[in-house]
């Protein structure tokens, strides 16, 4: 016996004001009925909330929309289904109480509160639709409601009369009930089967009366004439209810009622409604405990029921304090609160309070219905998702490694994308004018291969996953022709998608880029750099989908399944956002549809890692683990073999005519005077501007330093081909890669030191095998001077040399800078150009050629006792040292190693052999830079001496720093004297 | 003549419902009066909004709070000051109209709406405080208001009677006015000086009536009985007003009034209030155009005045359509809308509508007052900010470079921090238990130096800025003892601040970390990684301040001065946020005060770049440029020499007793069986766990890969010293650095390849000169196998070698892994440990020593024809090759180069000389790794041959990959045969 059943023992039924589909399907309603609940009412506000927050209704709506049903029809179908099911759950109560209890209430449209005939018509229809004896139709006790109530009761339809606030209102409906029964008797109809309750609303009375009392209370004032309106706060509703109950008892005592009761009439019970406490300073059961008594119902929301079960004091109380109640009502008048006016106002407001959520619900339903008007075969897509999961399980078990659970969480998303939403052509991976997909969460590669396989886009055996002879790698790379950019280092896909989306806009291709991210990778700052770029550039053709499976590699993701956090973040970064259940195909399809309307759009999908196989679902310890053979068999059995095959229709987005082939054969014109002082960073900018005019595919990016890197000219001249990337170098490089993947020739520049920020992006870019990707780092070395070490690029050569097949160029004057910038446009792969902050003298003629892999020997003689290899700023120091040494009778060979990688091994080795000594001088960390490259090239041909940065630099003048770090002309001379001695 | 003056010509005055201080100080009110405005009313809602959104009142509040005034006193002081000033601006209208117009209205507290005597008292007080003849005191026309109105008018106080909805209400106040005048005559007082208006409210009537009409309209239903309630929508208010005007005319026609008028009484005009259109489908002047006529006022909000001026139709209309008005009122009754009830409800709601914003205003005022209760000498702080600007201008001009404008935007923030909010001790840069400051926008270094100098914390000449012999570098580094971490690469400070805040928590130091960021650097994703970490770890002792000066280096910052964007982002990342005017000292001090209440808190400060010097303020093209001498002189003159000196009181936060000195002399116990297969990554984890037990200062960080890097054991055993950094490597390294700066010994681990993500942080870390910073990269090289290239660390050695003074360790078995992990705890500076994914055999005895800079020669003989140098996984391949070669009669020397940097030059050079040939084998890119280190070490002693990764790897089995990339035992053997031949 719990407090709810105790309540029943005192003659009061506990009903609940919270009917949702979830309540039914989860078994909660049945459980609560077990516990003693004796009735439930539906309510548009709760229905609206359930529909907005969950997806329980989505597939029904999708199906009904596809079947052409109107919003009104869909509403009635959904609600009467729920109500009918609830009636069935409560039916045992109804049967056991022989029709006295166990009811479910369903209201007519609140728009009919003042329309008698329309209320009658709708009540009849709903009654027939639900078709259950334990249904209550709710009709408000308004002036127009009363005749409707009488007529419907007369017809044998059970009525829950709502929205009663006053005793006068109660009297009218009590009379209507008795009249209806009398008419039934007159017509020879039975009356024991007709039921009614009169619902008295409580908390709203106190809310309004308290407000009016507070208007009559001067803050901080003492009691004036001894009567303080404050003492009436929170007392009106119960006083009114207790007096109403007294009136109810008088009805029961009347001869008229007794006559009906003798013929089997059921008591029209008093129902206390609106009984959750609104004012948090009041007791949470203030509308429950004082109103217990025979022939009553109390309809409570969940939290009030919880409070009741927890600490409710159950005793018969409804007839206690009647005199006090009368006093309260009298004092209210005395305080200037007119109770008639209060109840009239509350009735009006009550109608409004029903109408608002009802209209909102209908609007929401209409919107969901519209989303689904395009007929979609959801079942087929669901089957395909299951098939993809099936295949992924087999592939990863066969491979003995991989990430099946991370694939299963996004199977529905991929099925919806590849087999419904995306316009693409499975026969042509090179088509430009199609929607494209970037798998930022690269570890889910198996499901990408599975989708491509099922769509007929690849013929390769999916069971070859991760084999050394297969293009189906562990993480996607363009070894497989369907992959534009390599992913697998998390948080990089969205930047690449930015570049692809930007390229589409430049090429006037009206196709979208879809990027699938994991929730875990959203911890990477680069995702937010990318998000900002997309919003600032208005990339409406970009759709990010986040697979929020709530689990990282080592434990829960930082926000578990809270899709709201990510939605708020994307919104704060300027995106449209949609939150969906990532396993509800109707929701997914609807969200993808809605993403067509503008963007960038982020779809935040709540998913379950390992979805589809119970042992894996939401289980920890399964990241990156395949099933063993035995588990696989069980999993495959659980998933079942759908046998579905879906043909993907080849679709392209409009006509696409590629731009004219760029006129790449023309050389740029370089114009400097010998000895002119020009910074190589400025020469880079000039060359870029000229190249931009020659090659329409060239695009430029820069990290808020155009006035330092030299890119200013290009930015002004070709604003549509320039992408201001602000201080976000990772995204700058990632976007450049995406542009490259879409056929552009990107030049991205910032300070050399800040490219270290993007090293993971640069490292990954090599696996994307871009045809062109030019990165320029300005302000190399200590020669930048006073700004100090944070701004000095000292690791950049090491960083780029370590890439496979990279090209590292380091011009020393304006001519070589322009020529090497030009050469970069024609070289394949990743090219790094290192430029210098201070001006240096022009030493080469304007037409000089600078082949990649070459070098320039600037001084050479048969008497050379030492080869000095330098590049960039140190070349000028070396040249000065050469002259000084020459004056001292020491001949040195001077080599400009402008191509650090590939390095001119032949020339260097010959020089090493001929001069027996080599000195490398570089404005870079001594390890990993030019000296290492020269050592590797010359091998044992000669001892390689090194001058480079070996101690931490600081602020100072350029000359002071070159000297301090022993790479100045003076240091070189000194070292040369030492070595050549 | 404009439409406002046209209105006057028809006898209607236009008043405005929008009095704010800004309206007065900006000159807008005067301008509008010029234009024809004839009155204005104050309004708590507008006052509240002005106070919330602007800072016009902040300094007055701060001063009054400091002076000990109560909230009520502050309110009255602020509002009566505004009203008095407005009265003075309108005085010419009052004078020219001889007291007929030109009024300013001010209401008594809405809490007094039902309190007669209290209303009288307050009205008298406000009347005296404002002390202007053209003031109206507003009193509502409630039952309690009417006697107060009569009494006050009798006393000669002008009354604007508000909140009239009904004609009956009007009649009562008209009577009160006449009675008051009659009493004045009886008392021999003049009556021409007394004024009153009766304010009739309009739009609210339609809002409520329309709602009730809509309840009575069934959607989509045709007209039923021919009368459709919809036809009455939007008509009640005007009908009621027109009928009220008729009643007003009857008053004027009465003998009673005529008798008063003869004695000089002024007409009590009808005032139309609430005249902005609420329903957007209605005409915007619906409550203006139909109600024009003599003796009327229309009080409008700004937008209605704008509409009036733009397209108002001005003609005398108030007496048109009287019959229709009567019909409307009759039809309303017919539709079931009871007008008496409507007006009663509106009166109640009107009181509530006044109370809510009034209470909200008072709460806000109280909060602002509380913020300022601590007396602050704002003027001194403002003067100090000016002095800092002065100094910065001189320093940068003297240096000839630097970023003065970026300093000037944050001068007020620094003055407030260093001279007011921060608890610190200018005599002791090493104090642990003080608030600390991180200048993330490092280019503002000069203002940091200036603040430290003015506080007496540094004695160094500020004019030495950027000189090679000065610690006052261009960007802050710990060369200066007040700097904990080097900054200057943007977006890094907040991560370091995270580490420092976390260290404070570990050490139970109750001191805060303040981090000043620029708006531009908030484009860096790392800022958001840091923001997430701070929120997830509940770092309530962390305060970020963003200096939103709206300008980047090359142009506007992405969001210009929109502080809201950043506030929304910080909020979405879980922070408390405050937006302030960064040049309003009271606001700054208040925000800093409020940041004490919890956090992490972000203060988003709107500032002006170059603030204080007009030529620089908000000007583009001035980033990173000092003034020349001439401009400097002008700037200094403009700033003025304040001559202020503020002593910073030494303050510490509680007592701090450092933990016991760690027992570092004990060695960890290593226990493996020879030949046992253990991955070095697991051994790293084991050693870390043991070290954690020995050394309480050790902390560990990991990027959601504890189960891969081996850090799992430590995380479980020392949860409070483990920082889950999720997939955000930049912040992980930055936080580790911050922890190191606060004396911890951090070990941070992730996959080797993902440390590339943090290269800029690692590069910058060297300039922070951390005593200890251990970074571990697991999963090095192609030997990881099937996961493919994205997960392979192939550039990590190159990356770490390029750092100055770094230590790079690469263990090959579990024993060396544990010993090197242990050695790292005792080594100074940045130590990198490279570990391997697959298990390798234990080859060393448990007690073997692995000194940094050493190597192990595992096979050696006099007949060695080749030295094979390897480390990590390739050492095991080399050992196998050795055995196989030996079987073929070829002896090789095998060296384990576990210390890649510093490398064992001596041993390697000797081996090179002795064997004449060297082969380096490494699972790393061939450029920049071990081979380069060996080449540099052995010089020309022998030819160095290289086996390393030279082509792009792919997925595959470990053995297949070692083979494919020629670093397997077979490849080594083959190469050795080639070379040694």
């Amino acid at each position: 016996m719990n407090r709810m059943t105790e309540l029943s023992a005192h003659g009061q039924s506990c009903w609940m004001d919270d009917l949702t589909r979830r309540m039914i399907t989860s078994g909660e309603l049945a459980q609560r009925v077990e516990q003693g609940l004796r009735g439930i009412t539906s309510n548009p506000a709760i229905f609206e909330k359930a529909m907005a927050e969950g997806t329980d209704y989505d597939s029904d709506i999708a199906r009904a929309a596809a079947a052409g049903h109107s919003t009104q029809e869909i509403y009635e179908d959904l609600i009467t289904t729920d109500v009918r099911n609830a009636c069935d759950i409560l039916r045992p109560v109804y049967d056991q109480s022989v029709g006295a209890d166990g009811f479910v209430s369903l209201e007519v449209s609140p728009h009919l509160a003042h329309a008698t005939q329309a209320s009658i018509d709708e009540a009849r229809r709903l009654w027939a639709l639900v078709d259950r004896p334990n249904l209550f139709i709710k009709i408000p006790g308004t002036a127009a409601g009363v005749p409707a109530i009488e007529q419907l009761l007369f017809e044998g339809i059970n009525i829950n009369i709502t929205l009663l606030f006053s005793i006068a209102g109660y009297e009218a409906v009590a009379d209507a009930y008795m009249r209806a029964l009398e008419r039934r008797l007159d017509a020879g109809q039975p009356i024991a089967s007709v039921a009614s309750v009169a619902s008295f609303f409580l908390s709203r009375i106190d809310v309004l009366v308290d407000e009016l009392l507070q208007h009559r209370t001067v803050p901080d004032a003492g009691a004036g004439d001894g009567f303080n309106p404050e003492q009436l706060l929170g007392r009106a509703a119960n006083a009114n209810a207790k007096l109403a109950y007294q009136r109810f008892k008088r009805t029961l005592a009347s001869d008229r009622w007794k006559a009906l009761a003798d013929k089997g009439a059921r008591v029209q019970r008093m129902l206390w409604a609106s009984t959750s406490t609104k004012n948090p300073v009041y007791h949470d059961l203030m509308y429950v405990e004082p109103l217990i008594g025979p022939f009553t119902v109390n309809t409570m929301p969940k939290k009030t029921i919880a409070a009741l079960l927890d600490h409710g004091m159950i005793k018969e109380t409804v007839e206690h304090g009647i005199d006090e109640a009368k006093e309260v009502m009298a004092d209210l008048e005395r305080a200037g609160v007119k109770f008639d006016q209060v109840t009239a106002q509350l009735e009006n407001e009550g109608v409004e309070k029903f109408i608002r959520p009802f209209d909102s619900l209908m609007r929401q339903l209409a919107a969901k219905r519209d989303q689904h008007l395009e007929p979609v075969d959801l079942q087929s897509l669901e089957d395909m998702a299951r098939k993809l999961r099936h295949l992924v399980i087999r592939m990863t078990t066969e491979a003995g490694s991989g990430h099946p659970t991370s694939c299963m969480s996004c199977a529905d998303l991929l099925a919806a994308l590849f087999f419904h939403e995306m316009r693409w052509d499975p026969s042509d991976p090179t088509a430009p004018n199609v929607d494209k997909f970037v798998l930022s969460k690269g570890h889910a590669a198996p499901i990408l291969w599975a989708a491509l396989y099922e769509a007929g886009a690849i013929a390769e055996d999916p069971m070859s996953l991760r084999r050394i002879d297969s293009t189906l790698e562990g993480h996607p790379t363009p070894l497989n022709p369907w992959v534009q950019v390599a992913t697998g280092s998390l948080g990089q896909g969205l930047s690449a998608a930015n570049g692809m989306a930007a390229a589409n806009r430049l090429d006037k291709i009206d196709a979208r880029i879809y990027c699938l991210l994991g929730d875990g990778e959203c911890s990477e700052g680069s995702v937010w750099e990318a998000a900002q770029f997309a919003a600032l550039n208005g990339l409406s053709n970009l759709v990010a989908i986040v697979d929020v499976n709530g689990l990282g590699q080592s434990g829960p993701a930082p926000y578990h399944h809270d899709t709201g956090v990510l939605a708020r973040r994307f919104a704060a970064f300027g995106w449209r956002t949609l939150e969906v259940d990532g396993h509800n195909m109707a929701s997914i399809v609807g969200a993808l549809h809605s993403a067509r309307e503008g963007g960038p759009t982020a779809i935040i999908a709540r998913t379950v890692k390992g979805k589809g196989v119970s042992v894996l679902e939401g289980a920890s310890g399964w990241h990156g683990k395949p099933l063993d053979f035995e588990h696989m068999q069980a999993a495959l059995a659980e998933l079942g073999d759908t046998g579905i095959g879906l043909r993907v229709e080849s679709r392209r987005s409009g006509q696409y005519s590629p731009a004219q082939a760029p006129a790449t054969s023309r050389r740029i014109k370089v114009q400097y005077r010998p000895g002119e002082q020009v910074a190589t960073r400025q020469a880079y900018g000039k060359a870029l501007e000229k190249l931009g005019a020659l090659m329409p595919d060239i695009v430029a990016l820069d990290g808020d330093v155009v006035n330092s890197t030299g890119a200013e000219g290009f930015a002004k001249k070709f604003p549509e081909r320039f992408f201001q990337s602000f201080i976000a170098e990772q995204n700058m490089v990632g976007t450049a890669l995406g542009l490259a993947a879409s056929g552009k020739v990107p030049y991205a520049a910032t300070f050399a030191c800040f490219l270290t920020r993007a090293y993971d992006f640069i490292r990954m870019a090599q696996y994307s095998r871009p045809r062109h990707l030019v990165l320029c780092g300005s302000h190399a070395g200590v020669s930048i001077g006073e700004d100090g070490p944070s701004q000095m690029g000292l690791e950049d050569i090491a960083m780029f040399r370590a890439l496979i097949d990279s090209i590292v160029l380091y011009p020393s004057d304006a001519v070589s800078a322009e020529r090497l910038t030009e050469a970069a446009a024609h070289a394949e792969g990743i090219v790094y150009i290192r430029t210098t902050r201070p001006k240096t003298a022009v030493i080469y003629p304007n037409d000089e050629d600078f082949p990649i892999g070459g070098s320039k020997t600037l001084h050479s003689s048969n008497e050379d006792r030492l080869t000095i290899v330098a590049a960039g700023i140190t070349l000028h120091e070396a040249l000065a040292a050469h002259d000084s040494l020459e004056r001292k009778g020491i001949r040195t060979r001077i080599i400009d190693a402008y191509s650090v990688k590939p390095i001119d091994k032949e020339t260097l080795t010959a020089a090493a052999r001929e001069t027996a000594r080599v000195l490398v001088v570089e404005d870079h960390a001594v390890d990993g830079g030019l000296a290492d490259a020269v050592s590797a090239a010359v091998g044992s041909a000669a001892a390689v001496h090194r001058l480079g940065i070996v101690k931490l630099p600081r602020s100072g003048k350029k000359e002071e720093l070159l000297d301090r770090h022993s790479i100045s002309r003076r240091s070189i001379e000194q070292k040369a004297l030492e070595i050549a001695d």
Side-chain angles (χ1 to χ4, degrees), chain A residues 873-923:
Chain A
I873 188 116
T874 57
L875 181 69
H876 299 272
E877 301 300 312
L879 286 169
H882 167 273
D883 293 352
S884 176
L885 287 162
E886 194 168 44
R887 284 192 292 275
K888 290 177 180 158
I890 297 167
R891 302 295 287 264
T892 52
R893 187 165 301 181
I894 306 294
I895 297 180
D896 175 2
Y898 66 81
S899 178
V900 179
K901 183 180 176 185
I903 198 153
D904 187 352
K905 184 170 177 161
E906 200 178 330
T907 303
L908 289 168
T909 311
R913 291 221 175 88
E914 289 164 32
T915 66
R917 299 169 197 90
V918 175
L919 172 62
V920 183
V921 193
E922 58 186 317
D923 194 357

Side-chain angles (χ1 to χ4, degrees), chain A residues 238-445:
Chain A
N238 278 332
N240 187 48
K242 281 175 184 285
L243 297 178
Y245 189 80
Q246 292 302 309
R247 179 64 191 80
F248 160 73
K249 280 196 65 183
R250 284 203 299 281
T251 302
L252 292 194
S254 70
D255 292 340
R256 185 181 178 192
W257 174 254
K258 281 179 181 158
L260 287 165
D262 286 347
K263 303 225 164 61
R266 304 190 164 279
V267 173
Q268 182 188 43
R269 288 183 291 173
M270 295 296 272
L271 183 150
W272 311 128
S274 175
T275 56
S276 67
T277 306
K278 300 298 186 295
N279 187 335
V281 308
Y282 292 162
H283 178 47
D284 58 359
L285 292 170
M286 72 179 286
Y287 304 117
V288 177
E289 288 171 350
L291 297 173
I292 300 171
F295 296 116
T296 57
V297 178
N298 196 322
T299 301
M300 311 179 206
K302 270 188 183 178
K303 66 164 193 205
T304 307
I305 292 180
L308 169 75
L309 290 170
D310 182 63
H311 53 263
M313 301 274 289
I314 315 293
K315 51 185 178 193
E316 201 170 311
T317 48
V318 68
E319 298 199 62
H320 295 180
I322 302 303
D323 290 343
E324 274 172 62
K326 287 177 185 160
E327 265 173 54
V328 166
M329 300 314 283
D331 281 349
L332 284 177
E333 290 291 325
R334 195 174 154 207
V337 175
K338 289 171 187 144
F339 201 74
D340 283 357
Q341 202 176 289
V342 165
T343 58
Q345 180 175 338
L346 287 173
E347 183 185 297
N348 287 329
E349 288 177 353
V351 172
E352 185 68 15
K353 274 186 185 153
F354 287 151
I355 284 179
R356 288 215 182 155
F358 183 82
D359 286 355
S360 166
L361 169 67
M362 296 305 270
R363 273 195 303 275
Q364 207 187 116
L365 254 180
K368 288 212 178 201
R369 173 181 171 272
D370 288 351
Q371 276 174 20
H372 297 295
L373 273 186
E374 191 180 335
V376 182
D377 183 352
L378 296 172
Q379 189 58 54
S380 294
L381 292 176
E382 285 160 10
D383 288 348
M384 178 52 73
R386 208 142 46 87
K387 194 170 192 191
L388 297 180
R389 289 188 172 99
H390 201 272
L391 187 50
V392 159
I393 292 282
R394 289 174 54 219
M395 289 162 71
T396 49
T397 297
E398 170 72 21
S401 66
H403 303 76
T405 56
S406 304
C407 293
M408 294 166 81
S409 61
C410 59
D412 300 291
L413 297 167
L414 260 81
L417 278 169
F418 281 81
F419 295 89
H420 169 66
E421 183 67 18
M422 274 169 55
R423 296 159 295 176
W424 65 297
D425 179 352
S427 72
D428 183 3
T430 67
N433 52 338
V434 293
D435 294 337
K436 284 177 186 158
F437 176 76
V438 177
L439 183 66
S440 188
K441 50 172 286 185
H443 52 289

Side-chain angles (χ1 to χ4, degrees), chain A residues 811-870:
Chain A
S812 60
D813 81 339
V815 172
S816 54
E818 288 213 37
R819 290 295 170 211
L820 290 171
T821 303
E822 182 179 30
H826 306 295
E828 293 229 342
I830 300 176
V831 180
Y832 174 58
I833 302 173
R834 183 180 216 229
T835 65
T836 303
R837 179 179 172 276
K839 291 176 177 172
T840 50
V842 170
I843 56 174
Y844 291 111
N846 286 320
D847 281 332
E848 185 83 12
D849 241 346
F850 290 84
I852 288 169
S855 68
K856 297 289 171 189
T857 303
L858 294 172
H859 290 289
S860 171
S861 79
N862 293 338
E863 296 148 53
D864 293 343
R865 287 156 66 183
L866 169 68
T867 298
I868 304 178
V869 184

